[in-house]
């Protein structure tokens, strides 16, 4: 049994800065972190590993500096980490990214015990792009079932039973055979801190495996900027118009005034 | 010369900072008031392997025995959150666990290190006595040979973690009544009959850290528990403190960093005369001086760690680091309170605690005067 966890390195601030000329993120002076939601995915994988026999493999596509988040994943306790890094991968949108990730997963599966089953766990979305598209696209690339927005999972031999959050208050319970892909929500678990021993191990006794476009036998037209169907026309901050009204009076009066305003603005 | 940290050291900083902000910062004020380490934090600190920071993996440690800069970074980040925890971990590792690893026999390592590494036993270093403070050679606790054992009698004071310790390094006088410096260091288990904890000190700062009086009444210690050579205890104690001071320097550094960060934040937020106080030159000069002091502390501390790891004579460097870092922390904390004005004196802000904590560093593990004595003594003896 293999559990793949797809991770991403993202800027570590809530308000990203954008270069108005190139429409790209300004990365200078911004700390890079492991996408917070991916920690939940890693935590779930590591709990499964403790409960059952499984090998946990964390993957990311990114520049060589993305090694840092993979080391962090190793320090948390994953068994193997793979970095997909190549200039040709640069500028990938979610489609090109999931194509590349799928190639890597297929390659790893091909090189290991072919009978082995597998599960892919992703965070639901990354805090930078916030599209939530990679998990479904990756499942499509691999032709396996996908369940998004998972908050609970039970794994038994060749199937999983999961709780999928549906709208705000409803839960759908879904069962599917493996292999499968799930994307998990934040707050479903409390990701562990890497211990000091974990950090030592991550830097001293472990290697990061590198894949590039050549050893993935990638179709050049499907990776990086070439393989991207989306084009960023413009990135901008939503304008804030400073309209602010302070309502005063007793609670009853304030509520009345508020309703009045909302009706005026056609919200109620 | 290359000042960059390794990727591993950067990760140690990042993770320790995040951990400390989550588990130590929220309870720091309460621990200061209650004068004890928070129990949940204690368990978490054990899980994170901080008690075994500078012990080899082989003995259950985290493996920083040859990476003292990494060790300093860990102490620095813990102290940035709570200097009381900082001194606890610095002392446990620096002057209790590490000396057993460095100078102990294989049997002693097997016996004592595992419990120290996982924090099931806390370590303490016991040198100071009522009549032996700066003048460490004045130790009066005696150890008298009786068969294969030594019988310890006397009192130690001001032992960090003494009241919660499981394993103690005790410096005892083993020479004649009139001899000075003829001492021996013993490893003592706190379960040994005749040993008891006396007064727990009520202190100005680092209040979460336990500081206790320890009483030895006919405490029998087997001779296998001698650390290093019989009669060589004074030198041994000085060597232990040389390394310990690097950890204390790192503790002061983290505290200075906390004071600086709080001050920068407050200077941007607090508005007087229509602008943030950070726009006033009077505040800016303070911030600049604090930043320089803290950075000097960092450079001195890492340099001492670097020299230690190269296997060179690091005594002067560690005294310099401890002196510079403790005085930097005091300056930074002093200015931090000033920058915060009246709020700086209130319990609602952490800077009054930093101020109290910082004063401690100029006294324990050798006062600033003693550091200057050591530095000057080495200069005069060995040359510049
Ligand atoms: C919180 C805390 C934790 C401690 N932890 C430990 C511990 O874990 N283990 C341990 O053994 N001890 C510990 N100590 C003891 C500490 O190391 C001593 O307090 C310190 O070394 C000073 O000794 P003293 O208090 O007796 O002061 P004194 O030696 O009496 O000094 C009084 C003053 O005289 C100055 N002075 C003394 N001699 C000279 C000189 N020759 N020239 C110039 N000035 C001089 C000193 O600098 C100081 O200003 C701790 C103390 C504190 C407060």
């Amino acid at each position: 049994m293999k559990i793949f966890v797809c991770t991403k390195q993202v800027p570590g601030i809530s308000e990203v800065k954008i270069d108005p000329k190139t429409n790209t993120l300004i990365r200078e002076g911004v700390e890079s972190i492991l996408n917070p939601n991916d920690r939940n995915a890693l935590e779930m994988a590591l709990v499964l590993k403790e409960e059952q026999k499984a090998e946990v493999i964390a993957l990311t596509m990114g520049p060589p500096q993305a090694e840092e988040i993979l080391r962090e994943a190793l320090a948390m306790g994953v068994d193997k980490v793979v970095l997909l890094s190549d200039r040709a991968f640069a500028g990938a949108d979610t489609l090109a990214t999931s194509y590349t990730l799928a190639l890597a997963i297929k390659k790893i599966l091909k090189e290991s015990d072919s009978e082995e089953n597998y599960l892919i766990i992703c965070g639901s979305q990354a805090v930078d792009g916030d599209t939530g598209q990679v998990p479904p696209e990756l499942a499509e690339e691999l032709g396996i079932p996908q369940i998004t927005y998972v908050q609970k999972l039970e794994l038994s031999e060749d199937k999983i039973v999961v709780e999928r959050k549906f709208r705000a208050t409803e839960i759908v319970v879904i069962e599917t055979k493996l292999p499968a892909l799930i994307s998990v929500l934040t707050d479903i678990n409390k990701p562990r801190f890497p211990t000091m021993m974990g950090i030592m191990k991550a830097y001293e006794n472990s290697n990061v495996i590198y894949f590039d476009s050549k050893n993935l036998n990638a179709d050049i037209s499907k990776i990086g900027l070439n393989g991207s169907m989306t084009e960023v026309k413009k990135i901008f901050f939503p304008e804030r118009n400073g309209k602010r009204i302070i309502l005063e009076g007793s609670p009853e009066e304030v509520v009345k005034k508020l309703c009045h305003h909302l009706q005026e603005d056609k919200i109620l | 010369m290359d000042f960059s940290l390794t990727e591993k050291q950067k990760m140690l900083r990042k993770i320790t900072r995040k951990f400390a902000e989550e588990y130590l910062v929220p309870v720091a004020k309460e621990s200061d008031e209650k004068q004890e380490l928070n129990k949940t934090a204690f368990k978490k600190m054990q899980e994170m392997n901080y008690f075994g920071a500078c012990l080899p993996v082989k003995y259950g440690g985290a493996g920083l025995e040859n990476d003292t800069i990494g060790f300093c970074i860990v102490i620095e980040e813990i102290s940035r959150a709570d200097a009381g925890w900082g001194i606890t971990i610095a002392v446990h590792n620096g002057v209790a666990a590490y000396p057993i690893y460095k100078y102990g026999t294989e049997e002693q390592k097997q016996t004592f290190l595992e419990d120290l590494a996982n924090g099931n036993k806390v370590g303490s270093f016991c040198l100071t006595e009522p009549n032996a403070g700066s003048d460490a050679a004045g130790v009066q606790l005696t150890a008298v040979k009786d068969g294969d054992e030594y019988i310890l009698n006397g009192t130690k004071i001001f032992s960090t973690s003494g009241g919660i310790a499981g394993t103690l390094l005790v410096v005892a006088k083993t020479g004649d009544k009139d001899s000075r410096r003829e001492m021996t260091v013993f490893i003592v288990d706190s379960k040994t009959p005749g040993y008891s904890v006396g007064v727990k000190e009520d202190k100005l700062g680092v209040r979460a850290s336990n500081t206790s009086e320890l009483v030895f009444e006919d405490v029998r210690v087997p001779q296998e528990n001698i650390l290093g050579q019989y009669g060589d205890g004074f030198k041994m104690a000085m060597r232990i403190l040389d390394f310990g001071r690097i950890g204390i320097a790192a503790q002061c550094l983290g505290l200075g960093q906390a004071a600086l960060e709080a001050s920068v934040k407050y200077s941007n937020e607090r508005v007087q005369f229509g602008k943030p106080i950070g726009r006033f030159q009077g505040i800016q000069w303070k911030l600049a001086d604090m930043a320089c002091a803290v950075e000097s502390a960092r450079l001195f501390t890492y340099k001492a760690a670097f020299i230690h790891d190269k296997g060179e004579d690091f005594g002067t460097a560690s005294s310099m680091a401890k002196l510079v870092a403790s005085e930097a922390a005091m300056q930074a904390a002093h200015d931090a309170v000033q920058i915060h004005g009246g709020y700086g004196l209130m319990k609602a802000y952490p800077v009054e605690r930093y101020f109290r904590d910082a004063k401690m560093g100029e006294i324990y593990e050798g006062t600033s005067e003693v550091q200057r004595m050591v530095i000057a003594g080495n200069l005069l003896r060995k040359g510049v």
Side-chain angles (χ1 to χ4, degrees):
Chain A
M1 171 87 191
K2 282 195 192 324
I3 302 174
F4 295 97
V5 183
C6 299
T7 59
K8 187 179 185 188
Q9 191 176 40
V10 296
I13 42 169
S14 42
E15 250 183 83
V16 291
K17 293 198 181 76
I18 294 159
D19 185 330
K21 284 194 192 116
T22 58
N23 277 349
T24 50
L25 288 176
I26 300 175
R27 292 190 184 270
E28 251 166 73
V30 177
E31 187 203 17
S32 293
I33 59 164
L34 173 57
N35 179 43
N37 195 186
D38 299 347
R39 285 179 191 281
N40 303 104
L42 284 165
E43 179 62 28
M44 183 183 263
L46 291 169
V47 170
L48 289 174
K49 178 191 157 177
E50 281 155 17
E51 287 168 3
Q52 338 217 349
K53 245 183 82 188
E55 183 187 27
V56 179
I57 303 167
L59 303 148
T60 191
M61 185 174 92
Q65 300 90 278
E67 215 187 281
E68 189 189 336
I69 63 161
L70 293 179
R71 297 275 180 197
E72 198 171 333
L74 278 170
M76 284 174 79
V78 311
D79 300 297
K80 221 190 251 175
V81 293
V82 182
L83 178 54
L84 320 182
S85 199
D86 194 320
R87 284 191 176 276
F89 296 154
D93 69 357
T94 58
L95 187 67
T97 302
S98 38
Y99 167 73
T100 316
L101 284 171
L103 286 184
I105 289 171
K106 283 184 208 160
K107 179 178 161 71
I108 295 166
L109 289 169
K110 214 170 125 198
E111 284 168 6
S112 63
D113 185 354
S114 56
E115 297 301 304
E116 224 175 350
N117 227 327
Y118 70 97
L119 169 69
I120 302 174
I121 309 179
C122 303
S124 288
Q125 51 238 98
V127 290
D128 53 354
D130 214 15
T131 66
Q133 291 169 356
V134 168
E137 288 174 353
L138 176 57
E140 287 305 307
E141 283 285 350
L142 292 166
I144 59 173
Q146 55 170 290
I147 308 168
T148 49
Y149 305 116
V150 168
Q151 59 176 28
K152 212 173 149 201
L153 172 139
E154 261 172 61
L155 169 72
S156 59
E157 278 184 37
D158 62 343
K159 65 170 198 211
I160 51 173
V161 181
V162 304
E163 285 181 10
R164 177 180 198 260
K165 199 162 174 197
F166 186 61
R167 300 207 190 96
T169 52
E170 289 161 57
I171 291 166
V172 185
V173 178
I174 304 172
E175 180 181 314
T176 182
K177 279 221 152 114
L178 291 178
L181 176 146
I182 63 164
S183 74
V184 298
L185 294 164
T186 43
D187 298 335
I188 54 161
N189 53 28
K190 194 163 162 35
R192 66 196 63 194
F193 271 99
T195 64
M196 284 187 77
M197 278 188 206
I199 295 171
M200 292 301 141
K201 223 176 100 217
Y203 283 93
E204 272 157 29
N205 312 325
S206 312
N207 290 321
V208 173
I209 302 163
Y210 272 76
F211 287 171
D212 60 16
S213 58
K214 280 200 199 72
N215 48 41
L216 284 181
N217 274 325
D219 177 346
I220 293 296
S221 70
K222 289 188 167 183
I223 58 172
L225 213 50
N226 286 341
S228 298
M229 295 292 129
T230 41
E231 186 189 329
V232 180
K233 287 269 190 223
K234 189 178 169 195
I235 300 182
F236 58 93
F237 282 110
E239 254 175 62
R240 284 188 196 148
N241 64 6
K243 193 181 162 195
R244 205 181 297 160
I245 308 166
I246 295 175
L247 304 174
E248 278 170 283
S250 70
E252 289 81 8
E253 287 164 12
V254 172
V255 169
K256 247 189 216 144
K257 285 183 196 165
L258 177 63
C259 291
H260 176 72
H261 279 289
L262 292 175
Q263 273 162 350
E264 231 172 32
D265 290 349
K266 308 241 173 349
I267 294 169
L268 278 187
Chain B
M1 196 166 8
D2 182 355
F3 286 101
S4 47
L5 299 177
T6 65
E7 292 304 311
K8 183 176 86 181
Q9 289 163 344
K10 284 187 213 160
M11 182 67 77
L12 280 170
R13 183 187 300 287
K14 188 168 135 181
I15 300 298
T16 306
R17 176 169 293 198
K18 215 167 148 226
F19 168 84
E21 282 173 356
E22 189 166 331
Y23 287 99
L24 305 185
V25 170
V27 292
K29 180 168 180 278
E30 183 195 297
S31 306
D32 174 69
E33 283 161 4
K34 285 193 178 167
Q35 302 197 65
E36 62 186 26
L37 300 166
N38 177 278
K39 288 199 178 60
T40 314
F42 195 102
K43 236 183 111 237
K44 286 282 167 195
M45 293 289 287
Q46 285 181 296
E47 283 169 22
M48 292 290 286
N49 317 125
Y50 290 127
F51 285 92
C54 64
L55 290 177
V57 173
K58 185 179 158 196
Y59 298 108
L64 287 178
E65 71 277 12
N66 297 315
D67 183 0
T68 309
I69 293 181
F71 173 59
C72 286
I73 288 171
V74 167
I75 299 294
E76 182 184 339
E77 291 304 326
I78 291 171
S79 308
R80 179 179 167 272
D82 183 346
W85 259 115
I87 184 180
T88 305
I89 294 297
V91 163
H92 171 92
N93 275 282
V95 294
Y98 185 77
I100 297 179
Y101 158 64
K102 183 89 180 167
Y103 306 112
T105 63
E106 188 53 40
E107 201 191 329
Q108 289 170 343
K109 294 182 207 182
Q110 297 290 350
T111 311
F112 297 104
L113 291 186
E114 196 186 319
D115 280 339
L116 287 168
N118 60 29
N120 285 345
K121 284 190 178 161
V122 178
S124 185
F125 173 78
C126 318
L127 171 65
T128 305
E129 295 181 7
N131 293 316
S134 300
D135 182 13
V139 163
Q140 284 166 4
L141 181 142
T142 54
V144 177
K145 196 165 163 64
D146 180 35
D148 292 344
E149 293 177 330
Y150 285 82
I151 306 171
L152 274 55
N153 274 295
T155 301
K156 293 291 181 186
I157 57 165
F158 297 170
S159 290
T160 295
S161 299
I164 57 170
T167 303
L168 312 130
L169 297 190
V170 181
V171 187
K173 183 182 172 86
T174 43
D176 307 337
K177 209 165 136 251
D178 308 321
S179 76
R180 284 167 61 87
R181 301 204 168 191
E182 239 196 275
M183 302 178 194
T184 303
V185 180
F186 293 89
I187 311 173
V188 180
D189 190 299
S190 66
K191 293 227 171 67
T192 318
Y195 167 81
S196 62
V197 177
V199 179
K200 174 184 162 181
E201 301 295 344
D202 184 354
K203 311 188 291 291
L204 173 76
V206 294
R207 286 161 60 83
S209 147
N210 176 292
T211 310
S212 297
E213 176 192 34
L214 308 173
V215 183
F216 297 78
E217 282 173 315
D218 291 331
V219 174
R220 287 181 166 270
V221 182
Q223 66 181 19
E224 303 90 78
N225 284 16
I226 291 176
L227 185 67
Q229 296 299 314
Y230 176 85
D232 198 28
F234 185 75
K235 260 203 216 135
M236 171 70 78
M238 293 305 115
R239 254 183 278 155
I240 290 173
L241 286 174
D242 278 345
F243 182 71
R245 282 168 187 154
I246 302 178
I248 297 301
Q251 185 243 0
C252 296
L253 165 59
L255 182 53
Q257 174 75 22
L260 173 62
E261 285 178 32
S263 301
V264 169
K265 183 164 175 275
Y266 194 76
S267 301
N268 275 322
E269 288 168 1
R270 174 66 173 170
V271 174
Q272 287 291 278
F273 299 98
K275 44 183 146 173
I277 57 169
R279 301 261 189 88
F280 302 121
Q281 195 183 47
I283 299 292
Q284 288 178 357
W285 285 19
K286 279 194 184 63
L287 292 176
D289 288 346
M290 290 163 81
C292 289
V294 171
E295 193 54 26
S296 318
R298 183 166 290 118
L299 292 173
F300 272 80
T301 304
Y302 293 180
K303 173 90 181 290
F306 172 80
I307 296 174
H308 170 268
D309 290 351
K310 281 190 82 179
E312 292 171 7
D313 182 1
F314 66 97
T316 307
S318 81
S319 273
M320 284 181 171
K322 198 271 182 181
L323 176 64
V324 168
S326 61
E327 296 194 346
M330 193 64 233
Q331 184 198 332
H334 180 259
D335 286 347
V337 172
Q338 197 65 24
I339 287 171
H340 281 69
Y343 301 93
L345 305 168
M346 303 301 153
K347 296 275 179 188
Y349 284 83
V351 291
E352 66 84 28
R353 172 164 55 86
Y354 300 160
F355 185 71
R356 290 183 286 108
D357 289 350
K359 186 62 215 170
M360 311 299 283
E362 294 184 320
I363 292 177
Y364 49 58
E365 292 217 14
T367 63
S368 292
E369 290 76 12
V370 165
Q371 304 311 327
R372 288 186 167 90
M373 263 166 56
V374 173
I375 296 164
N378 287 345
L379 283 174
L380 294 168
R381 230 169 347 107
K382 301 179 192 168
V384 185

